[in-house]
Amino acid sequence: MEARIESAICPGCACLCDDIDITVVDDRIYQAANICLWGASKFLAHKRFHPKKERRRLQQPRIKQGCLWQTVPYEAALKRTAEILTRASRPVIYGLTNSGSWAQEAALDLARSTRARLEPADLAFKAPYYRSLMKHGLFWASLDVIRDEADTVVFWGANPLHSCPRHVVRYSVFARGKFTERGLEERRLAAVDVYRTELAEFVKLFIRLEPGQEPALVQGLLAALTGGKPPAIRGLRRLAALLEEASYGVIFFGRGVSYGPAQELLDGLGELTARLNRGSPFIFFPLTADFNSTGLYHLLLRELGSPLAPDFGHDLAGTGQAEPVAWSEVDAVVVVGADLFWFLSQEEIDRLKKRQVPVVALSPFANRTTGHAEVVIPVALAGVETPEIAYRMDGLPLFLPKIVSTHLWSDSRVLRELTALL
Amino acid sequence: MGLVIQGGIVFDPSSNWDGEVRDLFIAHGRVVDHLTEVDEAIDARGLAVTPAALELRSPVAGYGQNFLRLWGGLPSPRELGESYALLGYTHIHEPDLTLPTANYVHRELAAIPLMDTSASLTLNLRDFDIFLKNKENLSEVAAAWAYLLEHCGGLTLRVAEPFVRYRQEFYQHRTISLEAVLDILDNILHILDSKISLEATPELLTAGLPSSGRFHLACLGPALVNPEALEKAHRLLAAGVSADMGLLPPAPRSQGSLVPLTIDQDRFAPCDLHGSPDPEAPRRALELALHCRQANLAFSAADLRQTPVSSFPQLFSWLCDHHSRRRFWGEDLAPCSYSLHDWLRSTRSLPAQHLGLPDRGHLRPGARADVSIYDLPTLSWWPQSFNRCRMLLKAGERVVDNYEIVNHTVSKATFYRRTGALPNHIIDGLYAKSSFRPGNLRVHPNPEIHWQKAP
Ligand code: SF4
């Protein structure tokens, strides 16, 4: 039987494009229209940007018995996980930026009840941002308002073509808005990065920096805007002029900012935006890639009063921690909605293995973490096989209905049942 | 199941019960005339029994409000729900919901336990500007607003900027003055047979309002920037205009200015949630509330950053007790204070009326059994004892008992207005401009929310 679902929402990245038309044949996704390659990898289970390479779905929970894998029912996998968490004195629940909001809420409950630390996968990117906001304030608007109003757009350490491919078409570069009716022609664009990226093809000004040079550029821009003498950095004066002439501007910063001295850089960018805001509206906007990273920080801020990593092992209020967790202290990890072993260095992985830290992985797909985990729990794809809520990168939530069925449990169900077991 | 609250001293301004000792019967979550048999009796002898309070303005769920928590400016949803319940509230109303933020707002409201919720659909007149300019289009605009109200799960209509202005030069021809907008709104409200809330501003107070009785002036306090604005507000209230107070405390002298927290919702003026009001506005707001206690003036606080729910008892004591005013303000501010009857009217009857919830804010048969019970050692002591609720029933279920929350999971609903209106070409135009497809802007599929049609 064939069915066509219009206006489906793509959980591929935090753009949450909601104009995807899906054809379902016999309860399997057969075709997806309007979607980018990145998003298609979620719906059609292929590797990101490589449609011919299949991504292996996990089908059954399994646990490690000595060196051997054993396929088990969900109940047994949960029991083993509960044992691991009960034994642990410093458990961490890691990831969640690629999980729906119901799973995030369930994970927060689990972290509370196990006195664990909840570590968002992109903490190194977001914690310095929130700390910078607390110092310098915030001007905020939805992506629709940015599309309609912003005539000056800067990408800083961000390459939307890789992290959220349709962003440039729907909101920031080519999109036509109420006061930007001619799209690209109405916008002045700049990009700052340590590599030359595809953005260089269409931005007016591309500043390529040496690693570590970014804080100097920010300070130079501040100096140029306040009549001081900026350092000699190529493109600095042109960028300062572009920023100053904006009638409505936005700085989208990406994960690139977290590769260097992130706090210093984001403090500087926060200060720069605050300075620009004295003249015209200027927005300092994290270009979040993971589809519900925004939802996670929103939840933490709303429930705990801090968007930083709550550590219930520290105190019961779950005081937020800005510094990434010290893996050397951790004695159990539950990974949800992320691929922890992709981000850890080989040294860190070796140390975890040497200390025999048990890892439990909840994932729809096989990945590096599931390869190292002691317990692997396959979960349904949020927003495709199970309904979920997710927040677009501007903080607006969407309800993602189920499109096809599965025998797999949702991650929110796994987490809730795990909490109940404990 | 039947329940009786026995022998309480009942106060209900809209039923003209001003301390009558009577029994209150409850069945199936509603107040009923009489029951011959009951399953449970609550002994309320010597206690004050009143309808539960409704918060007419609780800006806790609007787009961007969550950022306030970065600076400790808003408690968690759980703390909010509990603080309201412990004061005797069962319903809170968010004033700012829009088409793109409706899902956001309802999700935030759903996270607040214990409280029923509702929200005002804030209309951005810039979205309708070309249609507003021609009288012949007004019925279509009215139909579009009626559709949006239901579609967004809103209960009432609100306009924050009753004018059309643009920063962009090439849009200047679309400007519509405040005076012209008030006339246009009056016509549209006539077609809709509805009321609307207008956010009070000095400019609006100076312009005055049409006399149709279809306008509610929201949050007067911050608009009282000078004696002239106070005078105008006074006159409007004396003429019978409905309004709410927007009380706020004076800014502490020690408080430095906070960094800006500005949210742009595509209005002419983005809103700074950290903005500080005129230093004299708090005093003027209180003076106005005291002088106009018999007017159509409901209780409200300006915002919950400056006036957290936990500080409401202080605001109540300023309204009701001249000793407390003298202690804090160094003077009486007005010769009169709110009686218990006045206070209940401003926190129960009037908010229920403004929200259009006819079964709330009173205890007559048919009312939903939302009842708050307080100690009442002596009648003159009521402002102190009404600071904490001894028992709170919500639809007949105990939420607070012996001053403590006893049921954290009492059922809650989001109230919305069903209009039955269908989308028209104005709505199609709005959707065309949105980055969301229409189906994804619908709020009703969200299974987390228990929707309830307003009666
Ligand atoms: S940009 Fe993101 S949300 Fe949009 S289709 Fe691509 S992956 Fe999906």
Side-chain angles (χ1 to χ4, degrees):
Chain A
M1 214 180 68
E2 185 172 316
R4 191 170 158 79
I5 297 163
E6 289 188 352
S7 308
I9 299 163
C10 170
C13 78
C15 279
L16 293 178
C17 298
D18 75 334
D19 56 350
I20 312 298
D21 297 334
I22 304 275
T23 307
V24 175
V25 178
D26 294 335
D27 208 19
R28 290 193 58 179
I29 294 175
Y30 174 72
Q31 206 172 46
N34 288 342
I35 202 162
C36 72
L37 269 182
W38 184 298
S41 69
K42 271 252 167 132
F43 284 103
L44 302 170
H46 62 65
K47 292 220 154 99
R48 286 176 177 175
F49 298 117
H50 297 286
K52 298 232 163 88
K53 290 191 191 157
E54 202 189 327
R55 250 173 126 186
R56 193 163 67 79
R57 283 300 302 269
L58 299 167
Q59 293 298 342
Q60 276 199 300
R62 54 178 208 216
I63 54 180
K64 228 178 215 170
Q65 298 284 21
C67 297
L68 295 175
W69 286 110
Q70 188 187 351
T71 304
V72 293
Y74 274 99
E75 290 76 7
L78 288 185
K79 193 163 165 258
R80 177 75 167 265
T81 309
E83 284 163 9
I84 290 171
L85 286 173
T86 313
R87 272 202 311 267
S89 58
R90 189 78 177 108
V92 165
I93 298 167
Y94 176 89
L96 293 157
T97 48
N98 268 319
S99 306
S101 293
W102 294 332
Q104 293 169 348
E105 285 162 19
L108 184 57
D109 285 345
L110 179 64
R112 255 198 205 105
S113 64
T114 52
R115 305 202 61 171
R117 172 167 166 140
L118 192 155
E119 181 90 352
D122 57 2
L123 184 72
F125 169 52
K126 290 286 185 70
Y129 170 62
Y130 283 108
R131 298 217 301 187
S132 165
L133 294 187
M134 287 162 76
K135 260 192 226 162
H136 301 292
L138 169 70
F139 187 102
W140 188 253
S142 70
L143 287 169
D144 287 40
V145 173
I146 290 173
R147 178 202 60 191
D148 286 350
E149 296 262 5
D151 63 354
T152 302
V153 180
V154 179
F155 293 96
W156 197 298
N159 183 356
L161 298 183
H162 281 233
S163 58
C164 38
R166 294 180 72 212
H167 189 273
V168 289
V169 184
R170 282 171 64 85
Y171 312 114
S172 55
V173 176
F174 304 104
R176 293 163 197 271
K178 191 168 171 184
F179 308 113
T180 50
E181 284 172 1
R182 286 178 294 144
L184 179 63
E185 286 172 54
E186 304 248 19
R187 296 195 180 92
R188 288 148 349 110
L189 306 166
V192 177
D193 217 315
V194 291
Y195 307 103
R196 187 180 159 84
T197 66
E198 292 92 331
L199 291 180
E201 304 300 323
F202 52 80
V203 299
K204 183 174 165 187
L205 174 63
F206 189 95
I207 301 182
R208 188 172 163 193
L209 298 172
E210 292 304 319
Q213 211 184 1
E214 287 166 300
L217 175 63
V218 177
Q219 291 313 317
L221 287 168
L222 276 164
L225 293 170
T226 48
K229 192 170 177 298
I233 297 178
R234 208 176 152 159
L236 186 152
R237 283 189 185 279
R238 281 176 67 204
L239 182 57
L242 183 126
L243 295 173
E244 209 166 21
E245 283 162 20
S247 75
Y248 199 111
V250 55
I251 298 175
F252 289 111
F253 69 96
R255 255 185 136 141
V257 298
S258 55
Y259 300 150
Q263 192 61 63
E264 184 189 355
L265 177 55
L266 286 167
D267 275 349
L269 285 170
E271 189 184 346
L272 176 67
T273 320
R275 174 73 187 67
L276 291 163
N277 252 309
R278 289 193 218 152
S280 311
F282 235 98
I283 300 170
F284 185 33
F285 198 112
L287 202 63
T288 307
D290 294 352
F291 86 89
N292 198 23
S293 166
T294 310
L296 179 60
Y297 291 95
H298 181 89
L299 175 74
L300 296 177
L301 183 55
R302 188 181 77 189
E303 298 300 323
L304 305 172
S306 162
L308 307 177
D311 194 340
F312 296 98
H314 201 263
D315 59 54
L316 281 177
T319 303
Q321 308 292 319
E323 295 308 320
V325 67
W327 290 107
S328 56
E329 294 170 3
V330 172
D331 59 2
V333 194
V334 177
V335 182
V336 194
D339 186 359
L340 170 65
F341 282 66
W342 175 269
F343 288 106
L344 291 182
S345 65
Q346 192 52 50
E347 272 173 17
E348 282 170 320
I349 294 174
D350 291 343
R351 279 201 290 267
L352 283 176
K353 275 182 166 172
K354 194 168 167 207
R355 291 197 298 118
Q356 297 185 329
V357 174
V359 175
V360 179
L362 277 64
S363 173
F365 295 106
N367 57 30
R368 288 196 190 180
T369 309
T370 60
H372 288 89
E374 183 172 324
V375 181
V376 174
I377 306 180
V379 291
L381 267 174
V384 179
E385 295 164 342
T386 180
E388 255 294 4
I389 302 272
Y391 283 69
R392 198 167 75 168
M393 62 174 79
D394 56 2
L396 291 173
L398 284 162
F399 174 64
L400 284 63
K402 172 174 127 172
I403 295 172
V404 289
S405 343
T406 178
H407 66 281
L408 300 173
W409 290 17
S410 66
D411 44 5
S412 59
R413 178 177 172 190
V414 171
L415 293 164
R416 270 187 282 110
E417 299 218 357
L418 189 53
T419 309
L421 262 186
L422 291 157
Chain B
M1 190 181 129
L3 167 73
V4 61
I5 302 174
Q6 255 170 353
I9 308 165
V10 183
F11 296 88
D12 176 5
S14 60
S15 312
N16 276 325
W17 297 336
D18 198 14
E20 284 182 32
V21 175
R22 57 189 301 150
D23 295 342
L24 208 62
F25 295 96
I26 295 167
H28 306 295
R30 302 225 158 235
V31 178
V32 293
D33 224 354
H34 188 72
L35 290 171
T36 45
E37 268 181 55
V38 292
D39 305 303
E40 193 191 350
I42 294 170
D43 181 2
R45 279 172 299 171
L47 302 175
V49 177
T50 75
L54 297 92
E55 169 75 304
L56 191 54
R57 180 188 174 83
S58 185
V60 292
Y63 185 55
Q65 295 279 348
N66 195 31
F67 286 121
L68 280 170
R69 295 188 170 102
L70 279 175
W71 295 271
L74 199 60
S76 72
R78 187 188 166 116
E79 287 164 327
L80 273 169
E82 291 183 357
S83 318
Y84 273 119
L86 291 169
L87 284 176
Y89 282 81
T90 53
H91 187 114
I92 59 171
H93 182 81
E94 161 61 50
D96 199 2
L97 166 148
T98 64
L99 176 64
T101 65
N103 269 309
Y104 176 93
V105 169
H106 285 303
R107 202 152 194 273
E108 294 300 283
L109 290 175
I112 300 170
L114 312 175
M115 293 294 113
D116 284 338
T117 57
S118 56
S120 286
L121 169 68
T122 302
L123 296 158
N124 187 347
L125 299 185
R126 306 204 308 178
D127 289 339
F128 307 94
D129 53 4
I130 48 170
F131 302 107
L132 295 175
K133 287 203 161 192
N134 185 345
K135 259 197 163 174
E136 283 169 16
N137 294 326
L138 296 190
S139 31
E140 283 173 322
V141 175
W145 290 4
Y147 170 78
L148 283 177
L149 185 62
E150 179 175 341
H151 180 88
C152 296
L155 185 65
T156 57
L157 295 172
R158 170 179 178 258
V159 167
E161 293 182 332
F163 47 76
V164 176
R165 287 175 203 155
Y166 289 94
R167 287 183 302 111
Q168 290 81 354
E169 192 78 28
F170 61 98
Y171 264 70
Q172 293 309 319
H173 64 285
R174 294 191 174 209
T175 301
I176 310 179
S177 70
L178 185 141
E179 290 75 10
V181 159
L182 291 177
D183 262 0
I184 294 166
L185 286 177
D186 205 21
N187 284 325
I188 296 175
L189 295 170
H190 179 74
I191 299 168
L192 284 171
D193 190 20
S194 175
K195 284 185 167 188
I196 202 162
S197 256
L198 300 181
E199 202 70 2
T201 58
E203 198 185 353
L204 182 60
L205 292 174
T206 307
L209 289 173
S211 56
S212 59
R214 297 194 181 278
F215 294 89
H216 174 85
L217 266 177
C219 195
L220 281 167
L224 305 176
V225 294
N226 53 37
E228 197 197 342
L230 177 62
E231 164 66 24
K232 300 274 185 198
H234 214 130
R235 261 197 242 155
L236 285 167
L237 290 174
V241 165
S242 112
D244 59 86
M245 301 170 190
L247 292 184
L248 60 166
R253 279 197 198 95
S254 56
Q255 186 187 306
S257 61
L258 283 162
V259 289
L261 168 53
T262 310
I263 308 297
D264 185 352
Q265 289 207 63
D266 193 27
R267 295 180 192 149
F268 176 68
C271 173
D272 183 2
L273 300 180
H274 278 168
S276 21
D278 180 274
E280 282 302 305
R283 176 187 293 265
R284 292 190 194 110
L286 185 55
E287 261 177 48
L288 182 72
L290 288 165
H291 281 112
C292 300
R293 66 191 198 288
Q294 316 263 296
N296 198 354
L297 182 63
F299 171 82
S300 74
D303 72 46
L304 295 183
R305 176 179 67 85
Q306 296 177 75
T307 325
V309 184
S310 55
S311 75
F312 281 15
Q314 186 179 39
L315 300 184
F316 296 155
S317 73
W318 290 344
L319 290 172
C320 305
D321 174 16
H322 71 110
H323 293 298
S324 154
R325 290 202 295 278
R326 231 180 273 157
R327 267 196 310 274
F328 187 88
W329 298 90
E331 55 175 317
D332 261 354
L333 297 176
C336 44
S337 292
Y338 275 59
S339 66
L340 177 52
H341 179 278
D342 298 332
W343 180 70
L344 289 173
R345 190 169 155 269
S346 75
T347 52
R348 275 74 172 166
S349 330
L350 290 177
Q353 270 172 35
H354 296 324
L355 296 177
L357 296 172
D359 62 349
R360 303 295 180 82
H362 66 87
L363 294 173
R364 291 190 301 280
R368 208 176 81 164
D370 286 10
V371 186
S372 43
I373 301 177
Y374 303 86
D375 291 332
L376 193 63
T378 65
L379 199 50
S380 57
W381 258 83
W382 73 267
Q384 282 80 2
S385 46
F386 275 59
N387 283 346
R388 53 182 203 152
C389 180
R390 184 188 184 102
M391 182 182 287
L392 177 70
L393 302 183
K394 189 178 176 204
E397 267 191 77
R398 250 179 249 225
V399 177
V400 174
D401 199 1
N402 209 13
Y403 319 106
E404 277 178 15
I405 310 279
V406 290
N407 182 354
H408 289 273
T409 54
V410 70
S411 61
K412 54 174 272 152
T414 297
F415 283 77
Y416 73 103
R417 184 85 47 211
R418 168 127 176 76
T419 62
L422 295 172
N424 58 16
H425 68 104
I426 298 180
I427 296 293
D428 294 342
L430 268 187
Y431 284 147
K433 284 185 222 147
S434 169
S435 69
F436 291 109
R437 291 257 179 107
N440 293 320
L441 283 168
R442 282 187 58 220
V443 292
H444 292 265
N446 190 339
E448 296 171 308
I449 299 168
H450 173 52
W451 296 99
Q452 202 158 323
K453 254 187 303 181

